[in-house]
Amino acid sequence: MAPASKAEKKAAVDAAAWMFNVVTSVGIIIVNKALMASYGFSFATTLTGLHFATTTLMTIILRMLGYVQASHLPLPDLLKFVLFANFSIVGMNVSLMWNSVGFYQIAKLSMIPVSCLLEVVLDKIRYSRDTKLSIGVVLLGVGVCTITDVSVNARGFIAALIAVWSTSLQQYYVHFLQRKYSLSSFNLLGHTAPAQAASLLLLGPFLDYWLTNKRVDKYDYNTTSLMFIFLSCSIAVGTNLSQFICIGRFTAVSFQVLGHMKTILVLIMGFFIFGKEGLNLQVVFGMIIAVAGMVWYGNASSKPGGKERRSHSLPTNKTETR
């Protein structure tokens, strides 16, 4: 009975982690969309810096209260992670500016096969035929939902390439660093959030000016816009933490595949809240395909041989306790 109870407890915690990530991710997208569309705050990189500054404050408070223990992350690994993470943020913003929405969505979808490639090459992961096919079904469904006009140019393609690889590497490193140094999600955030906050707040105003031709210090701040910025930063703490929890408990590939449920929820909520993006037959059909693929992926990857490591162990600096 004990093994079954342990498995049920793990499944419940896994489900709670996914729900936490979905709710906070969808919430921050809706809040940011209102902030940028309704109040003209188009400084995405600076806003992300504020998100990490708030997350840093949260980790400091938790450490002072004794909920987060002291840990160590070597400086080279920290710098490598921050480099990938910041290139991901900047690359996605520039890619969205230089590419059509359709090509931007294709780039986002391509993160799944890139993440698979990283796991196969670096972690010696082997995927079963059903797992591979289920990933293909998810890609097809989300593609039908989101891809409309597709046009590409040289600089847009380069920006998308940088965004895809940096994002995939950043998410791979979340899982890798937690395993290698036996770091909890809070510990890893405590190391990475301050460095990301400092670098993005330093770089963000200049990048945002380049992208929008507007200065963040000249923005017409008012009570409502400040309230939305505060709300965005508050939700971002949960988004950042839940991302680290999910990738740490699973892998970057699973996070990407099942994470596309957020894309579907955003489409639905955008229809009800903003009333601009209609749920036409093509979008509904794509949603059905994507959800079917996610269910198939969850079932296929959890079966013996669905997704397994081939006689390869990751060196750790200290013994992990699970």
Side-chain angles (χ1 to χ4, degrees):
M1 188 72 182
S5 300
K6 188 175 180 181
E8 289 172 3
K9 183 179 179 181
K10 181 182 182 303
V13 174
D14 289 348
W18 277 118
M19 186 59 64
F20 183 30
N21 180 254
V22 168
V23 170
T24 55
S25 297
V26 173
I28 200 170
I29 289 171
I30 298 298
V31 170
N32 286 353
K33 184 170 183 179
L35 177 62
M36 294 180 181
S38 301
Y39 298 97
F41 191 86
S42 54
F43 312 102
T45 310
T46 304
L47 182 62
T48 306
L50 293 173
H51 290 169
F52 282 107
T54 311
T55 303
T56 299
L57 180 62
M58 183 266 305
T59 59
I60 291 173
I61 293 173
L62 290 176
R63 186 176 290 114
M64 291 172 59
L65 294 175
Y67 290 106
V68 179
Q69 304 302 316
S71 59
H72 175 66
L73 179 64
L75 184 60
D77 283 318
L78 174 61
L79 293 177
K80 198 182 298 182
F81 177 90
V82 172
L83 181 69
F84 291 146
N86 286 356
F87 264 105
S88 168
I89 293 164
V90 174
M92 294 302 291
N93 288 341
V94 174
S95 176
L96 182 58
M97 182 182 74
W98 285 349
N99 291 310
S100 66
V101 174
F103 186 76
Y104 175 78
Q105 290 295 341
I106 290 175
K108 286 181 66 176
L109 289 176
S110 68
M111 291 176 194
I112 294 179
V114 170
S115 295
C116 289
L117 178 63
L118 290 174
E119 287 191 358
V120 169
V121 174
L122 300 177
D123 283 348
K124 311 301 180 187
I125 296 292
R126 176 190 299 154
Y127 295 93
S128 69
R129 184 178 66 90
D130 279 1
T131 303
K132 294 175 186 174
L133 289 174
S134 66
I135 291 173
V137 171
V138 173
L139 291 173
L140 175 64
V142 178
V144 170
C145 281
T146 59
I147 296 173
T148 51
D149 61 309
V150 178
S151 60
V152 62
N153 55 74
R155 67 176 187 171
F157 179 81
I158 293 171
L161 192 66
I162 292 172
V164 168
W165 277 95
S166 56
T167 302
S168 300
L169 283 165
Q170 181 258 343
Q171 293 184 355
Y172 172 82
Y173 254 75
V174 170
H175 188 70
F176 174 83
L177 293 176
Q178 287 191 52
R179 286 185 298 144
K180 184 175 182 180
Y181 297 107
S182 299
L183 297 172
S184 69
S185 302
F186 282 109
N187 286 140
L188 187 55
L189 264 181
H191 290 292
T192 61
Q196 284 191 261
S199 55
L200 288 172
L201 288 176
L202 184 64
L203 172 70
F206 298 101
L207 180 65
D208 288 333
Y209 179 73
W210 176 55
L211 293 174
T212 65
N213 203 31
K214 297 177 184 178
R215 288 173 50 176
V216 68
D217 60 313
K218 297 295 184 181
Y219 175 74
D220 183 22
Y221 295 94
N222 56 56
T223 303
T224 307
S225 63
L226 287 172
M227 183 189 71
F228 270 96
I229 291 171
F230 176 78
L231 182 60
S232 177
C233 290
S234 301
I235 298 173
V237 174
T239 306
N240 291 331
L241 177 60
S242 63
Q243 181 193 40
F244 279 35
I245 292 173
C246 288
I247 297 177
R249 293 186 68 85
F250 310 102
T251 64
V253 173
S254 295
F255 181 75
Q256 283 283 347
V257 172
L258 300 180
H260 277 297
M261 177 60 72
K262 293 176 285 190
T263 303
I264 293 172
L265 289 175
V266 168
L267 287 171
I268 295 173
M269 293 192 67
F271 171 73
F272 286 110
I273 295 175
F274 297 102
K276 295 176 182 177
E277 291 120 13
L279 293 181
N280 56 43
L281 186 61
Q282 175 184 328
V283 173
V284 173
F285 182 59
M287 289 180 181
I288 294 171
I289 295 174
V291 171
M294 291 173 200
V295 173
W296 188 11
Y297 174 83
N299 183 55
S301 62
S302 63
K303 287 181 178 178
K307 182 178 179 182
E308 59 186 7
R309 194 182 306 276
R310 294 174 289 177
S311 62
H312 172 77
S313 60
L314 180 72
T316 57
N317 283 23
K318 59 181 180 179
T319 305
E320 291 190 55
T321 56
R322 295 276 181 192

